[in-house]
């Protein structure tokens, strides 16, 4: 099911990242900025409440283990698609993310256009690895 | 003191008494035998010689002095003198006569008489006797000295002949006059051929000047030591050590010189062997030092890379994180519609951010361990790889710089992931492009060649200005750059080094001024040889996986491997080569029917076990929760089996493995 507006929630302990995504998404057609969470502790509840289409989830954060939260979220809200949003792409992290139910793996160093494109494709039902993650896995 | 023994030939007893009296009165203690005839005289002489054989004229038995009248009946003084000269030549003979004329007197002296005394002047007798005796004593003393000298010389020579060294004697001018027997035997030449300059024939021509130098020292009265080669009788040159000293008499007068030589050939040989060995040792030490320095250099680089790794991970991560907000804000600024001037500023900021991004990317790649950077078990077909990346690489070069390649088909596969190889080549080509920027006729050449069965060399060369030795040595170090900061991160070549090292290879940098630079990547080679993928349309893959996420992942991986992907429910149509399906009841049977007897068809069953179904080489089951890496591996294996080159490679790989087993 393709929605005309993609509802995005961002989870990152770095406020600048949250602010950057807010700026980008609020200025781009086709996206709805739902807000920013500094940790994943309350993500499952917030997701149930906000009904995001796509969640950008940081891996390196204080508080709850993002992978555990991802597993819980995948079970509770299967319509919410999570894209792991990390500073570094590593094979075992990509495997863990997929296993826990992630729909994508994206490096923060990708261009903002790539980030938006990834969100779009995931929202359309495609599993997406960012260029960095692809490079790590190989062709 | 024994009395003087005198034989007196005199026919007049009165004259004989007179002489005796005169002598005794003159203080000469003597015994006189008085003879009157020729017979008595001769007998007395012979008796004296007989009594003291070999000591005539001295000691017991011999006479100390003969006195003789000149005018005798039936005998004359001249005959008596002749007789005495014959029998006892050493005994002084004095004529005592009344008739001796001056002429006769001179004649007798010529014949050997010691003196003459006229009877008219008998008072001269005593001084004459004293003088004669003194002269005789002096003669005896001289003779004894000469004999002692002869004896001493004979003793010296016999000693020298028996000595185990070569000995020679020289005269005052340093000319050699005598050589001992060992010398003559050593050189094999007789004495007369060696005296003077003769012996120099046995000396090596190169050493003659040294020998002459030693001779000068000797002539100047100083001892001399010299080493030279002396030809032995068998023709071999032997090293000898010669020591010579000038000889002096007790009174300090020069008395020639003496020298001795010992054969030191064995010593010399041992010494030169030692010297050679020490030279060899020095060479070994030098080469070992060079090795150690090189290894130290590598270690330093490795340490720097390792230390950097930890830091790089953090810094790269943070820079990357911070750049996102920067870029987002720039996007936001631009979206507001800026004046031209501000747009320029934004553009400048964006360029700086781009540089930071490259730095962050480089740092992140550096921080990755080898396994993360280059997945194991990957191999690249260089010819195919080049076909895929040349466009990308050409794009990195400034306008006017030519990119050419010499990458033959049929090279062994290199054991390195194509992505890693691309990354390395990308950096090298980019680097070469920077070096050549603005140069006419700039050219970058990428070559590949098998160095041995186990090594393939991929090199990137430029015809630029080349590097100094210092730059060549350090260029692989992280953050080492010759370019302005802000343009170069100083990480590009370090990254290449890291990537190649992770793959078990090595980077060599060859550069000389005016001759450009070549980076040679020596990469481990597979024993497999690349073959061409069979041409034709992409084979069709059907993905019948209900789970959208999983299906999407599989489809994506299949497309990457070169399949055309259709997502629909199975079972597949006839034109499908690969079928990926979720497990479930009856799937195993459907899979078998689909494969049939077509060796190129493959099936991947996700999230299921083969159950009771017999294993089939063309049907793979991925059990449990699928992982990106396991699915990817399965898809790649299927691709290798289905696609031309892959099929060949797979077969070869199987052969390899069985060979190893």
């Amino acid at each position: 099911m393709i929605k005309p507006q993609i509802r995005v929630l961002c989870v990152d302990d770095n406020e600048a990242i949250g602010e950057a995504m807010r700026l980008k998404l609020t200025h781009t057609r086709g996206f709805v900025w739902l807000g920013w969470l500094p940790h994943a502790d309350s993500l499952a509840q917030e997701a149930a409440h906000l009904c995001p289409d796509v969640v950008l989830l940081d891996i390196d954060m204080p508080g709850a283990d993002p992978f555990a939260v991802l597993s819980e979220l995948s079970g509770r809200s299967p319509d919410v698609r999570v894209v792991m949003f990390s500073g570094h792409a590593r094979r075992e992290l990509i495997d863990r993310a997929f296993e826990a139910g992630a729909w994508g793996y994206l490096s923060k160093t990708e261009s903002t256009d790539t980030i938006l494109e990834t969100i779009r494709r995931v929202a359309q039902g495609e599993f997406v690895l960012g260029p960095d993650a692809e490079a790590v896995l190989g062709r | 003191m024994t009395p003087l023994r005198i034989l007196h030939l005199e026919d007049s007893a009165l004259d004989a008494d007179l002489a005796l009296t005169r002598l005794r009165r003159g203080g000469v203690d003597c015994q006189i035998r008085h003879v009157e005839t020729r017979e008595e005289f001769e007998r007395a002489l012979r008796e004296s010689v007989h009594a003291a054989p070999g000591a005539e004229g001295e000691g017991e038995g011999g006479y100390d002095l003969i006195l003789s009248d000149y005018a005798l009946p039936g005998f004359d003084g001249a005959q008596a003198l002749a007789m005495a000269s014959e029998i006892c030549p050493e005994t002084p003979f004095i004529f005592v006569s009344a008739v001796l004329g001056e002429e006769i007197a001179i004649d007798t002296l010529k014949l050997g008489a010691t003196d003459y005394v006229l009877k008219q002047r008998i008072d001269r007798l005593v001084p004459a006797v004293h003088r004669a005796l003194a002269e005789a004593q002096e003669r005896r003393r001289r003779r004894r000295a000469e004999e002692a000298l002869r004896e001493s010389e004979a003793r010296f020579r016999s000693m020298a002949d028996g000595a185990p060294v070569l000995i020679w004697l020289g005269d005052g001018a340093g000319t050699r006059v005598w050589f001992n027997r060992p010398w003559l035997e050593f050189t094999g030449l007789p004495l007369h051929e060696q005296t003077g300059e003769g012996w120099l024939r046995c000396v090596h021509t190169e050493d003659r000047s040294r020998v002459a130098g030693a001779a000068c020292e000797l002539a100047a009265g100083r001892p001399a030591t010299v080493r030279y080669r002396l030809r032995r009788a068998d023709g071999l040159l032997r090293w000898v050590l010669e020591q010579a000293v000038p000889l002096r008499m007790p009174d300090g007068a020069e008395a020639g010189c003496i020298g001795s030589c010992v054969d030191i050939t064995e010593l010399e040989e041992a010494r030169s062997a030692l010297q050679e060995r020490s030279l060899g040792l020095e060479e070994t030490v030098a080469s070992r030092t060079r090795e150690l320095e090189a290894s130290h250099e590598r270690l330093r680089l490795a340490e720097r890379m390792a230390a950097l790794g930890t830091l790089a991970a953090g810094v790269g991560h943070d820079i990357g994180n911070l750049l996102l907000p920067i870029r987002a804000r720039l996007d936001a600024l631009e979206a507001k519609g800026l004046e031209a001037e501000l747009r320029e500023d934004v553009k400048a900021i964006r360029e700086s951010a781009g540089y930071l991004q490259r730095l962050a990317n480089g740092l992140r790649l550096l921080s990755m361990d080898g396994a993360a950077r280059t997945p194991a078990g990957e191999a690249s077909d260089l010819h195919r790889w080049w076909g895929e990346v040349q466009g990308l690489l050409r794009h990195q070069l400034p306008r006017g710089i030519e990119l050419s390649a010499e990458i033959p088909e049929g090279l062994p596969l290199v054991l390195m992931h194509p992505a890693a190889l691309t990354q390395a080549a990308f950096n090298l080509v980019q680097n070469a492009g920077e070096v050549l920027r603005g140069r006419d006729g700039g050219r970058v050449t990428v070559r590949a060649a098998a160095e041995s069965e186990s090594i393939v060399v991929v090199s990137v060369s430029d015809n630029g200005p080349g590097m100094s030795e210092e730059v060549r040595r350090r260029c692989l170090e992280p953050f080492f750059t010759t370019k302005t900061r802000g343009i170069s991160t100083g990480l590009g070549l370090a990254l290449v080094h890291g990537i190649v090292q992770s793959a078990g290879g090595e980077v060599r940098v060859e550069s000389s001024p005016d001759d450009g630079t070549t980076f040679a990547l020596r990469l481990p080679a597979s024993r497999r040889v690349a073959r061409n993928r069979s041409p034709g349309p992409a084979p069709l893959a059907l993905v019948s996986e209900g789970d959208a996420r999983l299906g999407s992942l599989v489809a994506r991986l299949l497309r990457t491997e070169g399949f055309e992907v259709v997502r629909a429910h199975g079972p597949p149509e006839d034109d499908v080569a690969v079928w990926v399906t979720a497990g479930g009841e009856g799937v195993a049977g459907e899979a078998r029917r689909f494969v049939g007897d077509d060796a190129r068809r493959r099936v991947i069953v996700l999230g299921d076990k083969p159950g009771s179904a017999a294993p089939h080489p063309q049907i793979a089951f991925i059990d449990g929760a699928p992982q990106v890496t396991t699915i990817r591996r399965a898809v790649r294996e299927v691709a290798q089996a289905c696609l031309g080159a892959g099929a060949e490679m797979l077969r070869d790989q199987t052969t390899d493995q069985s060979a190893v087993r």
Side-chain angles (χ1 to χ4, degrees):
Chain A
M1 191 170 70
I2 299 165
K3 294 184 184 178
Q5 298 264 302
I6 303 168
R7 299 161 61 81
V8 181
L9 178 65
C10 184
V11 187
D12 200 309
D13 59 326
N14 186 341
E15 189 181 349
I17 298 285
E19 186 57 16
M21 291 318 296
R22 184 189 70 76
L23 270 168
K24 191 69 196 170
L25 291 173
T26 50
H27 285 90
T28 310
R29 204 181 292 274
F31 292 95
V32 175
W33 175 249
L34 295 179
W36 158 75
L37 300 175
H39 50 76
D41 296 1
S42 57
L43 177 60
Q45 293 91 314
E46 292 286 348
H49 172 62
L50 293 168
C51 297
D53 296 308
V54 175
V55 174
L56 292 176
L57 179 59
D58 187 20
I59 289 178
D60 262 342
M61 276 188 300
D65 172 19
F67 290 106
V69 175
L70 171 60
S71 287
E72 189 195 342
L73 190 62
S74 305
R76 265 172 71 168
S77 317
D79 291 339
V80 176
R81 292 170 184 166
V82 176
V83 173
M84 301 312 277
F85 197 39
S86 166
H88 35 79
R90 294 222 306 265
R91 305 181 109 207
E92 68 270 23
L93 290 182
I94 295 168
D95 270 344
R96 279 181 71 191
F98 187 80
E99 230 174 315
W103 276 79
Y105 197 107
L106 199 52
S107 163
K108 285 179 194 169
T109 56
E110 308 295 357
S111 73
T112 46
D113 288 342
T114 304
I115 294 168
L116 294 197
E117 179 59 22
T118 301
I119 295 172
R120 273 195 207 97
R121 281 164 62 190
V122 167
Q124 283 166 20
E126 197 181 331
F127 177 85
V128 181
L129 292 174
D132 253 15
E134 284 277 4
V136 166
L137 285 179
R139 281 180 299 165
Chain B
M1 194 176 172
T2 51
L4 208 59
R5 290 163 55 88
I6 298 174
L7 179 65
H8 195 179
L9 176 62
E10 176 62 70
D11 57 344
S12 153
L14 180 65
D15 283 354
D17 274 350
L18 206 61
L20 177 62
T21 308
R22 180 59 65 167
L23 285 172
R24 289 209 171 129
R25 202 177 291 157
V28 178
D29 178 17
C30 57
Q31 285 181 348
I32 293 185
R33 181 173 174 188
H34 176 217
V35 292
E36 294 185 8
T37 63
R38 173 194 178 116
E39 289 71 31
E40 278 175 341
F41 181 69
E42 188 171 358
R43 195 181 318 119
L45 284 180
R46 296 213 184 275
E47 276 170 8
S48 76
V49 172
H50 187 70
E56 74 264 39
E58 62 175 314
E60 304 99 278
Y63 290 100
D64 298 311
L65 179 68
I66 298 169
L67 300 177
S68 170
D69 196 358
Y70 192 79
L72 295 158
F75 190 39
D76 71 22
Q79 288 171 328
L81 177 61
M83 193 181 288
S85 297
E86 192 198 321
I87 296 170
C88 45
E90 300 292 327
T91 310
F93 192 107
I94 299 175
F95 282 111
V96 183
S97 177
V99 295
L100 215 56
E102 199 165 332
E103 257 177 58
I104 294 169
I106 290 169
D107 282 349
T108 58
L109 289 181
K110 279 182 185 166
L111 285 170
T114 310
D115 206 345
Y116 68 91
V117 177
L118 293 174
K119 287 180 179 169
Q120 298 88 322
R121 297 193 53 192
I122 195 68
D123 54 325
R124 262 205 70 241
L125 181 62
V126 172
V129 166
H130 279 308
R131 194 167 66 97
L133 286 174
E135 279 179 13
Q137 196 174 8
E138 173 59 25
R139 267 200 310 277
R140 274 200 304 278
R141 197 192 58 76
R142 200 155 51 224
R143 204 185 61 231
R144 266 197 221 104
E146 279 168 7
E147 277 169 4
L149 186 63
R150 267 199 301 277
E151 195 184 333
S152 152
E153 264 192 38
R155 204 158 41 217
F156 163 75
R157 287 182 188 195
S158 83
M159 198 177 73
D161 282 346
V165 290
L166 315 184
I167 297 174
W168 53 265
L169 287 173
D171 62 15
T175 307
R176 300 192 180 187
V177 295
W178 182 80
F179 296 89
N180 72 346
R181 203 169 53 225
W183 179 293
L184 300 178
E185 284 168 0
F186 185 94
T187 53
L189 295 176
L191 182 60
H192 70 269
E193 284 185 32
Q194 300 217 40
T195 48
E197 303 283 301
W199 71 281
L200 280 170
R201 282 184 298 147
C202 300
V203 175
H204 192 290
T205 45
E206 284 175 16
D207 299 340
R208 285 183 193 166
S209 63
R210 267 211 311 285
V211 168
C216 286
E217 284 291 298
L218 267 180
R222 290 185 289 268
T225 301
V226 62
R227 277 171 51 244
Y228 59 90
R229 280 159 288 181
L230 189 62
R231 193 178 310 282
R232 206 163 60 179
D234 58 10
L236 285 179
L237 283 164
R238 306 288 289 179
W239 277 104
V240 296
L241 177 68
E242 179 176 288
Q243 284 172 304
V245 288
L247 293 175
R248 291 202 183 278
M249 291 306 224
D251 60 2
E254 289 176 5
C257 49
I258 181 167
S260 67
C261 307
V262 283
D263 186 338
I264 55 162
T265 309
E266 273 86 13
L267 213 63
E268 281 295 307
E269 281 169 357
R271 193 174 71 164
S272 75
L274 202 64
Q275 204 167 14
E276 259 170 49
R277 205 170 311 163
S278 98
L279 279 177
L281 194 65
E282 273 170 34
E283 181 51 40
T284 310
V285 168
S287 108
R288 186 81 189 107
T289 306
R290 280 195 299 275
E291 274 172 33
L292 280 175
E293 275 169 1
S295 126
H296 176 71
E297 195 74 21
R298 282 196 298 274
L299 187 66
R300 208 166 60 87
L301 190 53
E303 273 176 355
R304 208 167 163 188
M305 298 287 280
L308 190 72
T310 323
L311 182 70
V315 174
H317 185 253
D318 284 354
I319 294 178
N321 280 358
L322 289 171
L323 281 170
L324 180 57
I326 290 172
R327 287 197 311 267
R329 296 213 179 236
L330 290 173
D331 290 350
L333 270 177
E334 276 185 334
K336 285 175 185 158
L338 296 169
E339 296 165 25
E341 202 179 323
L342 284 175
R343 267 209 303 277
E344 280 301 303
D345 293 342
V346 169
K347 194 179 158 215
I349 296 171
R350 209 183 270 287
E351 275 171 12
S352 294
Y355 163 71
L356 280 174
Q357 188 68 70
R358 288 202 304 281
L359 183 64
N361 290 346
L363 286 170
R364 274 186 316 105
L365 280 165
L366 272 181
S367 70
M368 284 180 191
D369 58 19
R373 201 152 42 199
T374 53
E378 298 286 351
S380 301
D381 165 358
L382 290 172
H383 191 72
R384 194 168 128 193
W385 166 78
W386 180 249
E388 287 168 6
V389 301
Q390 58 170 324
L392 170 75
L393 297 182
R394 187 162 281 124
H395 189 68
Q396 295 309 311
L397 291 173
R399 198 181 293 275
I401 307 298
E402 190 191 326
L403 178 68
S404 60
E406 296 166 20
I407 301 180
E409 285 184 51
L411 285 171
L413 301 175
V414 295
L415 293 174
M416 188 179 191
H417 195 281
L421 188 57
T422 306
Q423 200 138 39
F426 184 93
N427 275 287
L428 291 177
V429 168
Q430 197 176 40
N431 200 65
E434 288 307 316
V435 166
L436 294 172
R437 190 181 286 280
R439 283 172 84 94
D440 284 340
R443 192 172 61 254
V444 179
T445 310
V446 180
R447 292 187 184 86
E451 185 187 284
S452 67
E453 270 188 15
S454 56
I455 293 190
V456 170
V457 179
V458 176
S459 65
V460 176
S461 308
D462 65 60
N463 59 348
M467 302 174 177
S468 71
E469 176 56 22
E470 162 80 1
V471 171
R472 188 197 68 78
R473 211 163 42 77
R474 296 193 55 198
C475 67
L476 298 178
E477 285 179 24
F479 296 116
F480 180 82
T481 180
T482 56
K483 292 173 243 168
T484 319
R485 292 266 172 219
I487 292 173
S488 159
T489 59
L491 290 177
L493 294 178
L495 190 59
V496 171
H497 177 250
I499 289 170
V500 170
Q501 214 170 34
S502 296
E506 158 183 54
V507 182
R508 284 193 185 163
V509 190
E510 288 156 27
S511 188
S512 53
D514 306 326
D515 213 18
T517 302
T518 295
F519 288 89
L521 315 184
R522 300 176 72 248
L523 305 171
S526 162
R527 280 191 288 159
R528 290 181 280 148
V529 171
R531 286 176 178 83
N532 276 335
R533 189 201 284 258
S534 62
L540 201 59
L542 176 68
V543 177
S544 315
E545 167 56 62
D547 182 86
R549 196 172 66 103
L550 192 51
S552 150
L553 169 67
V554 172
R556 179 174 175 76
L557 292 172
L558 283 165
R559 280 195 195 97
T560 313
E561 289 299 326
F563 289 94
E564 191 187 328
V565 179
V566 176
R567 296 185 65 175
H569 291 292
E573 310 275 317
D574 277 352
D575 53 353
V576 169
V578 174
W579 181 32
V580 182
T581 179
E585 210 172 325
V587 166
E590 282 179 9
R592 275 187 173 275
R593 273 193 293 283
F594 162 66
V595 170
D597 50 7
D598 189 338
R600 284 171 58 119
R601 283 187 173 172
R602 291 289 187 283
V603 178
I604 297 173
V605 184
L606 296 169
D608 205 352
K609 292 177 184 173
S612 56
H616 191 286
Q618 288 163 257
I619 304 172
F621 285 83
I622 296 179
D623 193 4
Q627 289 192 321
V628 179
T629 43
T630 51
I631 298 171
R632 189 171 158 277
R633 197 180 307 128
V635 167
R636 287 182 69 87
E637 278 170 16
V638 160
Q640 283 177 346
C642 289
L643 306 170
E648 293 286 343
M649 281 160 61
L650 194 71
R651 256 204 299 285
D652 285 358
Q653 196 170 27
T654 318
T655 318
D656 276 0
Q657 281 165 354
S658 56
V660 168
R661 256 181 257 126

